[in-house]
Amino acid sequence: MKQIWLLPDVAAGDCHYGNLSDYEVTGSCFDSLGGRKRARLMEGSKKRRKRYGGAAQGNRRPLDGSHEEPMPLPNPMIGFNLPNDRLRSVTRRLPQQAIGPPFFYYENVALAPKGVWATISRFLYDIEPEFVDSKHLCAAARKRGYIHNLPIENRFPLLPLPPKTIFEAFPHYKKWWPSWDPRRQLNCLQTSMSSAKLTERIQCALASSGNPPPKSVQKYVMDECRKWNLVWVGKNKVAHLEPDEVEYLLGFPRDHTRGVGKTERFKSLGNSFQVDTVAYHLSVLKDMYPNGVNVLSLFTGIGGGEVALHRLGIHMKTVVSVEIGEVNRRILRGWWDQTQTGTLIEIADVKSLTDDRIATFVRRFGGFDLVIGGSPCNNLAGSNRHHRDGLEGEQSALFYHYFRIVDAVKSAMGRM
Ligand code: SAH
């Protein structure tokens, strides 16, 4: 199988936190563990890992992973298996220390700087990441890595199956689609939108050239269309997708993010899970938990994980959701109140979810069945090199809280 290697340069075009000049940009909230505090946390986790017989020696290696072997990315990026792909049957054996309870599911951008995934994998009990580009399941690309300890046999997809091409999703765009635009799928949906000026510039460039336009004009237009996921809405006229179209492509119910500003909607949607992809992985829980699940949802965002479970018909008895963005919390709460009967407990900051609080929740609910979340990738992805400081970046280092919390749940449940 052909393999490509993790190079920072290939990250462009697929990421959280988009920016007007760059495809992607880094976020700005600086709020993380200080170096010394992190060292202490790592020391603590090392002890705990020893108790589990985990790969504690790994902690001696640098945390930024700069001396790690790069992790090869599969090509095609289809994960362990895809819906309806009966030909391949992959089995995997999890390392002993990785086996739950609880089940956990971690997500981040596939194209992170060198060594990042090796480090994440080492902290998450040496589980091999499952890299999937959502373009194999829906009409938009989204290259993500998932580390989880779920079984991978007998997965099933959400129904109805989502559209796999632009024209399946939005047939009315066909009318204006020029023959020289070969796109049939969209690129990774981003956190920001293109400007009206760009639409105007493209319209001018096309109006002043023949039909078909010269190759140089085609190239200019195609580059911008790919970068911004522009669609043809009139003669020579392109436009960015509307938030409800992005919701649809990502598998959210219509108007899921409605009621907050457009910029906020794009930002939250651009950072979210692709629901069909995540649901496919989580589908194995359905038979295991006929009476429902208790979920600890970290970095919940707009609730891609919760929507996936709901669409699978898995009842959520309790969700303890940790999300710092007030707008995101409002979106999740709005959806929850309309669709759920279980209990939603909201916490703002992962840092305030201490090991003691975790132990209390575990006693109260009899444990968590699933710990799910994707920590921010602001320092991992993007073409802005200055901010791509790897896992030690202010935001990306929140990953260590994910690990700390899973580990705390594991040990609290071990004491039950
Ligand atoms: N998987 C989610 C989105 C994850 S993006 C979804 O489907 O929508 C990462 C999220 O982490 C963002 O929503 C961001 O607001 C949140 N976040 C950032 N710092 C945080 C912190 N310290 N505590 C909790 N959440 C945080």
Side-chain angles (χ1 to χ4, degrees):
M1 186 191 278
K2 195 174 134 212
Q3 291 185 322
I4 56 169
W5 295 83
L6 270 176
L7 296 172
D9 290 346
V10 291
D14 187 0
C15 166
H16 302 192
Y17 294 99
N19 151 336
L20 291 170
S21 57
D22 263 325
Y23 279 61
E24 306 131 24
V25 92
T26 53
S28 54
C29 356
F30 275 64
D31 186 17
S32 179
L33 295 169
R36 216 173 329 140
K37 206 160 152 208
R38 186 154 57 230
R40 238 184 298 131
L41 170 62
M42 293 309 104
E43 209 34 56
S45 65
K46 187 154 82 184
K47 278 191 212 128
R48 238 181 281 141
R49 295 291 288 281
K50 265 208 181 114
R51 242 191 288 137
Y52 293 122
Q57 87 288 354
N59 291 320
R60 267 188 247 119
R61 284 181 246 152
L63 291 177
D64 65 0
S66 54
H67 297 270
E68 307 262 4
E69 282 299 302
M71 187 162 290
L73 289 175
N75 183 15
M77 203 183 274
I78 54 176
F80 296 136
N81 53 42
L82 284 175
N84 298 325
D85 132 33
R86 304 239 171 275
L87 294 175
R88 273 173 352 122
S89 119
V90 180
T91 48
R92 68 162 179 172
R93 262 190 62 160
L94 286 171
Q96 189 59 34
Q97 73 273 11
I99 296 169
F103 285 115
F104 63 86
Y105 188 85
Y106 175 80
E107 177 253 20
N108 215 322
V109 289
L111 301 160
K114 185 177 150 214
V116 164
W117 274 106
T119 306
I120 293 176
S121 164
R122 181 158 42 77
F123 274 90
L124 293 177
Y125 316 99
D126 292 322
I127 298 175
E128 180 197 343
E130 175 166 20
F131 292 108
V132 185
D133 186 339
S134 291
K135 75 175 183 187
H136 298 292
L137 293 108
C138 71
R142 208 177 199 73
K143 297 185 178 72
R144 295 288 184 266
Y146 304 89
I147 290 192
H148 60 85
N149 61 352
L150 294 161
I152 60 172
E153 298 83 22
N154 301 319
R155 290 167 162 181
F156 60 89
L158 278 183
L159 295 176
L161 291 175
K164 299 267 295 262
T165 65
I166 299 172
F167 298 147
E168 269 175 50
F170 312 115
H172 57 289
Y173 291 142
K174 215 169 186 161
K175 180 169 175 200
W176 300 109
W177 210 269
S179 58
W180 47 267
D181 181 343
R183 288 176 303 156
R184 292 299 172 263
Q185 287 193 303
L186 295 157
N187 277 334
C188 183
L189 305 167
Q190 294 180 57
T191 51
S192 61
M193 53 185 161
S194 65
S195 66
K197 274 221 177 77
L198 177 62
T199 295
E200 205 179 300
R201 241 181 285 139
I202 289 175
Q203 202 161 7
C204 284
L206 290 173
S208 58
S209 54
N211 190 15
K215 285 271 173 320
S216 60
V217 175
Q218 285 184 27
K219 183 177 181 316
Y220 159 70
V221 173
M222 285 316 306
D223 284 351
E224 297 295 348
C225 284
R226 288 203 172 93
K227 182 160 164 180
W228 294 107
N229 282 313
L230 303 175
V231 289
W232 297 93
V233 297
K235 184 171 158 62
N236 295 339
K237 189 178 172 193
V238 289
H240 62 75
L241 295 165
E242 288 299 316
D244 62 318
E245 295 175 318
V246 177
E247 286 169 350
Y248 178 52
L249 291 166
L250 291 172
F252 285 92
R254 194 183 172 112
D255 294 336
H256 184 73
T257 58
R258 189 125 177 209
V260 306
K262 208 165 171 170
T263 309
E264 288 288 351
R265 291 179 78 182
F266 277 113
K267 184 167 173 224
S268 295
L269 285 161
N271 282 327
S272 86
F273 290 157
Q274 203 288 324
V275 172
D276 301 272
T277 311
V278 170
Y280 180 59
H281 298 157
L282 299 180
S283 61
V284 295
L285 295 170
K286 181 149 178 162
D287 282 348
M288 278 190 253
Y289 297 97
N291 298 322
V293 285
N294 291 326
V295 182
L296 178 52
S297 170
L298 305 174
F299 312 103
T300 305
I302 56 173
E306 288 76 0
V307 171
L309 290 168
H310 175 61
R311 289 196 54 199
L312 285 163
I314 299 175
H315 173 60
M316 287 164 271
K317 291 186 284 191
T318 315
V319 170
V320 175
S321 160
V322 192
E323 167 55 49
I324 209 152
E326 205 191 315
V327 168
N328 286 342
R329 287 204 303 273
R330 215 182 311 140
I331 291 170
L332 181 77
R333 169 62 73 183
W335 172 82
W336 184 274
D337 289 344
Q338 282 181 47
T339 58
Q340 304 298 307
T341 53
T343 308
L344 175 64
I345 297 172
E346 291 168 292
I347 295 173
D349 194 333
V350 285
K351 276 168 268 159
S352 64
L353 183 57
T354 59
D355 292 11
D356 282 347
R357 268 181 103 179
I358 293 167
T360 307
F361 281 131
V362 164
R363 278 196 302 272
R364 190 157 131 207
F365 307 125
F368 288 104
D369 305 304
L370 177 66
V371 182
I372 185 167
S375 59
C377 76
N378 317 30
N379 312 102
L380 301 183
S383 43
N384 188 341
R385 296 229 172 181
H386 302 294
H387 296 276
R388 255 198 279 147
D389 32 13
L391 210 45
E392 303 316 294
E394 294 289 337
Q395 285 279 294
S396 306
L398 290 168
F399 158 74
Y400 294 110
H401 283 283
Y402 181 93
F403 158 69
R404 168 184 66 82
I405 291 167
V406 170
D407 220 36
V409 171
K410 238 176 180 331
S411 56
M413 287 178 73
R415 294 195 297 268
M416 272 193 339

